Amino acid sequence: MKIGIVCYPTFGGSGVVATELGMALADKGHQVHFITYNQPVRLDFISHHLHFHEVVLEEYPLFQYQPYELALSSKMVEIVKRYQLEVLHVHYAIPHAYAAYMAKKMLAEKGINIKVVTTLHGTDITLVGSHPTYKTAVEFSINQSDVVTAVSKNLREDTLRLFNIEKDIQVVYNFIDAEKYDQGHIEDCQRSALAAPEERILTHVSNFRPVKRTEDVIKIFYKVQQEIPSKLLMVGDGPERKKVERLAKELGIKDKVLFLGNSNEVAKILCYTDVFLLPSETESFGLAALEAMAASTAVISTNTGGLPEVNIHGETGFLSNLGDVDDMAKNAIYLLKDDAVLNTFKQNAKKRTQVFSLKNILPEYEKLYKSCYVK
Ligand code: GMT
């Protein structure tokens, strides 16, 4: 099929899912067109079925804010017409579902019936989308989509609770190409560069927004390192980073916490990791946890949002109440102090990722694209 994918091109999970999906679809022979304001960070052009179309914004002195939705919907119309696209798959409702609705209307005027699939990812529903500022337009554009998907059962429930939705919402879980994270596939997995042989490695990956509770990561690690020789790798960047660096310094553990910034080498970093920390306020799914599990890493997380659908308490890791850093530290210490226990959890984590394998999830999206054309 000919599919347009609209997403944020940044390090956020929705952009990662959209990009991995587009690349996998192209590998299967579909023609995929990314439409966004920058080349998505994980996009590589190894296949001639992959295209990228940049949405360019024009400066004008009158604008305090440039009208991105307008530029995006115009670009969607142009690309749908030029390449005869059959489906526009938009990731993250704000503002993509709304821009897709506008494009659909404009194309209908020209006799073109483009189908719109909207995938809800998380804060487009929970923290941002349901805010009165956006709610009316988000609800409208979800209801106008031909197909709506959510990345977990929990996000589906949240959407139905927070909005007046007249459509079915299909749950299509986030996915992983687990082989990419196999130790055999990763050259140079030398943990000695980062930690001494007797040290354990804990890792956190996020975009350091308040919802990620990165200060809790430091507080958990502070307790862990008092009992277990260890290092903490903090991967990513964002608004909370300075505050978190300060906290590590105040607690006297600055030399044990490595801030690595944004990275395209997450699989490599995870291959050294023993325990992954994700104490988020909420996660509709927790793709970062799934990536860690694919690299055979046990997960310590909160029990919020869709995390219990991914991380199984007492099997692949542990779930704690929001903010309970004592419990999260206790669970991490339990895992890290015993090789046999740690290895069992690591193996369970890896096994669990089969449920979310690319090979299972990709056909679900293909089926949904086709269903748009079945009366
Ligand atoms: O909602 C966000 O915070 C943005 C979004 C993103 O682009 O990073 O993250 C969400 O989508 C991911 C991919 O589906 C999920 O794995 C994340 O759990 C989800 N984040 C939240 O719900 C906070």
Side-chain angles (χ1 to χ4, degrees), residues 4-18:
I5 293 190
V6 178
C7 64
Y8 284 104
T10 53
F11 281 94
S14 62
V16 169
V17 169

Side-chain angles (χ1 to χ4, degrees), residues 4 8 37 49 55 60 85 95 137 162 177 202 217 235 252 272 287 322 368 370:
Y8 284 104
Y37 58 85
H49 295 296
V55 178
Y60 187 68
L85 301 190
L162 294 166
D177 183 355
L202 297 88
V217 176
V235 184
Y272 323 121
L287 182 65
L322 177 61
L368 287 174
K370 285 193 193 119

Side-chain angles (χ1 to χ4, degrees), residues 12-14 17 92 121-123 151 174 207 209 282-287:
S14 62
V17 169
Y92 203 88
H121 278 273
T123 52
V151 297
N174 283 335
N207 41 23
R209 284 172 302 154
T282 182
E283 283 295 341
S284 65
F285 181 90
L287 182 65

Side-chain angles (χ1 to χ4, degrees), residues 52-164:
F52 163 59
H53 309 280
E54 185 180 354
V55 178
V56 181
L57 292 175
E58 288 301 322
E59 300 272 350
Y60 187 68
L62 192 66
F63 299 153
Q64 189 179 356
Y65 307 105
Q66 290 166 331
Y68 180 63
E69 291 88 315
L70 238 59
L72 176 61
S73 54
S74 299
K75 194 64 161 182
M76 287 185 199
V77 169
E78 177 197 328
I79 301 304
V80 169
K81 286 204 295 199
R82 193 186 321 155
Y83 295 94
Q84 289 103 44
L85 301 190
E86 295 157 278
V87 172
L88 280 172
H89 187 174
V90 301
H91 290 261
Y92 203 88
I94 305 171
H96 301 145
Y98 194 75
Y101 166 74
M102 294 308 296
K104 190 178 170 79
K105 279 287 182 205
M106 288 186 268
L107 286 158
E109 291 288 306
K110 307 272 175 216
I112 299 169
N113 179 13
I114 186 75
K115 302 295 184 183
V116 173
V117 176
T118 297
T119 291
L120 311 172
H121 278 273
T123 52
D124 48 350
I125 295 302
T126 53
L127 298 181
V128 191
S130 53
H131 189 277
T133 310
Y134 302 112
K135 189 175 171 184
T136 310
V138 172
E139 183 174 280
F140 172 80
S141 47
I142 291 173
N143 281 326
Q144 295 298 321
S145 304
D146 293 286
V147 169
V148 183
T149 79
V151 297
S152 66
K153 290 181 188 154
N154 178 265
L155 183 61
R156 180 178 183 275
E157 281 157 25
D158 278 348
T159 311
L160 295 174
R161 180 172 52 80
L162 294 166
F163 296 90
N164 190 3

Side-chain angles (χ1 to χ4, degrees), residues 133-344:
T133 310
Y134 302 112
K135 189 175 171 184
T136 310
V138 172
E139 183 174 280
F140 172 80
S141 47
I142 291 173
N143 281 326
Q144 295 298 321
S145 304
D146 293 286
V147 169
V148 183
T149 79
V151 297
S152 66
K153 290 181 188 154
N154 178 265
L155 183 61
R156 180 178 183 275
E157 281 157 25
D158 278 348
T159 311
L160 295 174
R161 180 172 52 80
L162 294 166
F163 296 90
N164 190 3
I165 298 296
E166 297 148 9
K167 285 244 138 26
D168 262 5
I169 302 178
Q170 321 266 346
V171 174
V172 182
Y173 280 125
N174 283 335
F175 60 86
I176 194 102
D177 183 355
E179 274 185 18
K180 274 194 196 162
Y181 295 81
D182 286 347
Q183 303 233 339
H185 277 69
I186 296 168
E187 295 158 22
D188 204 21
C189 183
Q190 291 171 15
R191 55 163 32 228
S192 57
L194 293 168
E198 70 282 7
E199 284 178 324
R200 299 288 199 191
I201 297 185
L202 297 88
T203 297
H204 169 79
V205 182
S206 78
N207 41 23
F208 285 61
R209 284 172 302 154
V211 69
K212 301 293 174 181
R213 308 258 312 190
T214 38
E215 284 187 298
D216 282 1
V217 176
I218 301 291
K219 289 178 193 164
I220 296 164
F221 177 69
Y222 176 69
K223 288 174 189 289
V224 171
Q225 57 83 43
Q226 288 176 326
E227 294 202 26
I228 310 268
S230 46
K231 286 268 165 56
L232 172 64
L233 309 182
M234 295 290 277
V235 184
D237 207 345
E240 297 284 291
R241 177 164 165 184
K242 288 253 147 37
K243 201 163 57 168
V244 175
E245 286 191 54
R246 235 178 1 252
L247 179 63
K249 196 168 163 195
E250 279 162 20
L251 292 172
I253 52 172
K254 198 173 136 245
D255 55 335
K256 294 185 181 177
V257 184
L258 282 74
F259 288 87
L260 303 180
N262 283 328
S263 174
N264 271 327
E265 306 268 21
V266 174
K268 206 169 191 178
I269 294 166
L270 288 171
C271 86
Y272 323 121
T273 301
D274 296 301
V275 161
F276 188 79
L277 300 176
L278 195 62
S280 305
E281 180 188 328
T282 182
E283 283 295 341
S284 65
F285 181 90
L287 182 65
L290 182 64
E291 291 189 324
M293 288 160 68
S296 304
T297 298
V299 175
I300 297 292
S301 72
T302 45
N303 53 15
T304 57
L307 281 168
E309 293 171 60
V310 181
N311 183 22
I312 307 299
H313 187 76
E315 188 182 315
T316 61
F318 289 100
L319 300 155
S320 304
N321 291 334
L322 177 61
D324 194 346
V325 291
D326 287 344
D327 193 53
M328 289 185 256
K330 184 190 89 202
N331 291 333
I333 291 165
Y334 169 75
L335 291 173
L336 292 169
K337 72 174 184 224
D338 186 314
D339 277 344
V341 171
L342 183 61
N343 280 334
T344 304

Side-chain angles (χ1 to χ4, degrees), residues 19-38:
T19 311
E20 297 283 352
L21 174 64
M23 293 194 298
L25 287 164
D27 273 351
K28 278 190 88 175
H30 297 285
Q31 197 185 103
V32 177
H33 295 258
F34 284 91
I35 307 169
T36 179
Y37 58 85
N38 264 331

